[in-house]
């Protein structure tokens, strides 16, 4: 049995659009979205430990004492009865409170990596059943494809997307998902979209129904969106991802090639914002780690 797995990626995601189509009796919101994998990744390292011991080391920014990585490892132990443990080191790169799924992606990578390190041989379906209890976005990262997502996030249909570049801006301020979903001003009655409508214009389709509330609660979101809009043809149709506060815009390939320096050297960018030029991924780097 292997002793360690190093440099294991956990990619971020963007919501190309996010429509809220209703609300269930239990309070959960019904949504439609496309989740797209991004080449902005956290990096995790896993070393097997005896006697079921679990520990975590933060190599960059500190995480909460009991974060989703440790919760995922414990959930896998509980589900399988495994007596193996692990020391997990994590180098965070994906910003927190961004709407980019960083914590959920870390949890999914933990489940996929420990399934391999502990030789558990669980299927993706079995890992998904564990992951859904950790967070609504975790199953998406386990499945490993860009996806059309519906329901409360549990209906995941793989889709293919053209290769593209995106300028992502994470403002200094973050946003609480709960504060947006509980806001009385949230639009909850969008019409159902169809995949063929999205496919005709994948990077300009629809909108993010959470964005207006986010802009009200967090002025930094508006500042970032306005900055992207002022880039003109360089950044197309900026919008927020997830529940924010990160925003993004599709960038033309020709602009990427001809204006690379302009994209990298931002003199008038929002103060303390994290700005990154990213590409989408055709599939999760760990897609083949479980069947």
């Amino acid at each position: 049995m292997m002793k360690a797995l190093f440099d294991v990626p956990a990619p971020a995601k963007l919501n190309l659009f996010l429509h809220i189509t209703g609300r269930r009796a239990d309070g959960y919101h019904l949504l439609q979205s496309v989740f797209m994998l991004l080449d902005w990744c956290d990096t995790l390292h896993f070393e097997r430990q005896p006697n079921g011991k679990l520990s975590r080391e933060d190599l960059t920014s500190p995480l909460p004492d009991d974060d989703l990585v440790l919760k995922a490892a414990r959930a896998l132990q509980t589900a399988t009865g495994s007596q193996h443990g692990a020391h997990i080191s994590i180098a965070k790169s994906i910003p927190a409170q961004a709407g980019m799924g960083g914590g959920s992606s870390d949890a999914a990578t933990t489940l996929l990596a420990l399934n391999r390190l502990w030789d558990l041989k669980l299927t993706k379906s079995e890992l998904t059943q564990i992951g859904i209890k950790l967070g609504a976005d975790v199953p998406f990262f386990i499945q490993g494809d860009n996806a059309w997502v519906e329901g409360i996030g549990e209906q995941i249909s793989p889709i293919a997307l053209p290769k593209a570049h995106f300028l992502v801006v994470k403002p200094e301020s973050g946003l609480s998902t709960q504060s947006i979903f509980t806001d009385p001003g949230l639009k909850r009655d969008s019409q159902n979209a169809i995949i063929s409508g999205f496919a005709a214009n994948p990077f300009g389709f629809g909108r993010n129904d959470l964005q207006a509330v986010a802009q009200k609660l967090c002025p930094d979101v508006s500042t970032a969106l306005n900055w992207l809009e002022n880039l003109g043809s360089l950044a197309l149709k900026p919008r927020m991802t997830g529940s924010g506060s990160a925003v993004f815009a599709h960038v033309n390939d020709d602009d990427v090639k001809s204006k690379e320096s302009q994209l990298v050297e931002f003199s008038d960018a929002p103060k303390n914002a994290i700005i990154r030029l990213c590409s989408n991924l055709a599939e999760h780097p760990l897609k083949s780690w479980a069947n």
Side-chain angles (χ1 to χ4, degrees):
M1 187 183 289
M2 66 181 69
K3 293 183 177 179
L5 290 166
F6 295 115
D7 299 316
V8 185
K13 60 88 175 164
L14 292 178
N15 295 85
L16 290 180
F17 74 95
L18 178 54
H19 295 173
I20 306 298
T21 58
R23 195 175 191 179
R24 299 196 319 194
D26 58 10
Y28 280 98
H29 288 78
L30 298 171
L31 61 86
Q32 287 187 310
S33 185
V34 164
F35 286 19
M36 179 184 71
L37 294 159
L38 211 59
D39 66 350
W40 189 344
C41 299
D42 292 340
T43 304
L44 291 83
H45 314 281
F46 302 86
E47 298 172 82
R48 190 155 47 86
Q49 293 196 118
N51 305 320
K53 183 182 178 185
L54 297 172
S55 58
R56 193 195 75 229
E57 179 182 357
D58 299 332
L59 302 177
T60 50
S61 53
L63 293 166
D65 288 342
D66 193 24
D67 75 318
L68 277 177
V69 165
L70 287 176
K71 288 177 179 176
R74 271 202 312 275
L76 191 60
Q77 284 179 330
T78 300
T80 62
S82 174
Q83 298 301 305
H84 295 298
H87 178 67
I88 306 168
S89 305
I90 177 166
K92 286 293 292 181
S93 173
I94 304 167
Q97 290 196 322
M100 297 173 66
S104 294
S105 186
D106 294 343
T109 285
T110 297
L111 292 174
L112 288 162
L114 293 182
N115 185 46
R116 173 172 277 211
L117 187 66
W118 295 344
D119 197 29
L120 299 173
K121 297 184 171 63
L122 296 186
T123 64
K124 277 183 185 162
S125 177
E126 290 168 319
L127 290 172
T128 295
Q129 292 308 307
I130 299 169
I132 190 97
K133 297 170 185 172
L134 298 165
D137 291 349
V138 177
F140 160 72
F141 290 107
I142 292 172
Q143 294 301 316
D145 292 296
N146 297 308
W148 179 275
V149 179
E150 295 186 285
I152 59 172
E154 84 286 9
Q155 299 173 30
I156 303 169
S157 304
I159 59 169
L161 293 170
K163 187 72 173 174
H165 297 89
F166 300 85
L167 197 55
V168 184
V169 183
K170 167 59 176 70
E172 183 176 18
S173 304
L175 268 168
S176 157
T177 302
Q178 185 178 3
S179 66
I180 293 180
F181 276 105
T182 56
D183 193 286
L186 178 63
K187 177 178 172 62
R188 298 180 171 93
D189 59 354
S190 284
Q191 295 296 308
N192 281 316
I194 55 173
I195 292 180
S196 59
F198 164 80
N201 184 21
F203 304 129
F205 179 82
R207 66 198 165 274
N208 185 337
D209 283 340
L210 309 185
Q211 185 172 304
V213 174
Q215 288 180 262
K216 179 181 71 175
L217 297 175
C218 180
D220 278 358
V221 172
S222 296
T223 301
L225 285 166
N226 290 336
W227 181 75
L228 281 172
E229 285 175 359
N230 287 335
L231 293 177
S233 63
L234 192 60
L236 308 173
K237 301 196 175 183
R239 63 185 61 185
M240 189 178 77
T241 180
S243 57
S245 62
V247 302
F248 69 96
H250 175 218
V251 181
N252 272 332
D253 285 351
D254 289 344
D255 287 325
V256 172
K257 293 168 186 167
S258 65
K259 302 181 180 179
E260 192 92 44
S261 60
Q262 187 177 337
L263 283 166
V264 174
E265 298 170 11
F266 302 109
S267 57
D268 60 342
K271 186 178 179 182
N272 296 327
I274 302 168
I275 302 173
R276 188 155 171 162
L277 179 62
C278 301
S279 299
N280 56 3
L281 298 174
E283 62 183 35
H284 196 292
L286 309 182
K287 183 182 175 182
S288 65
W289 280 28
N291 295 320

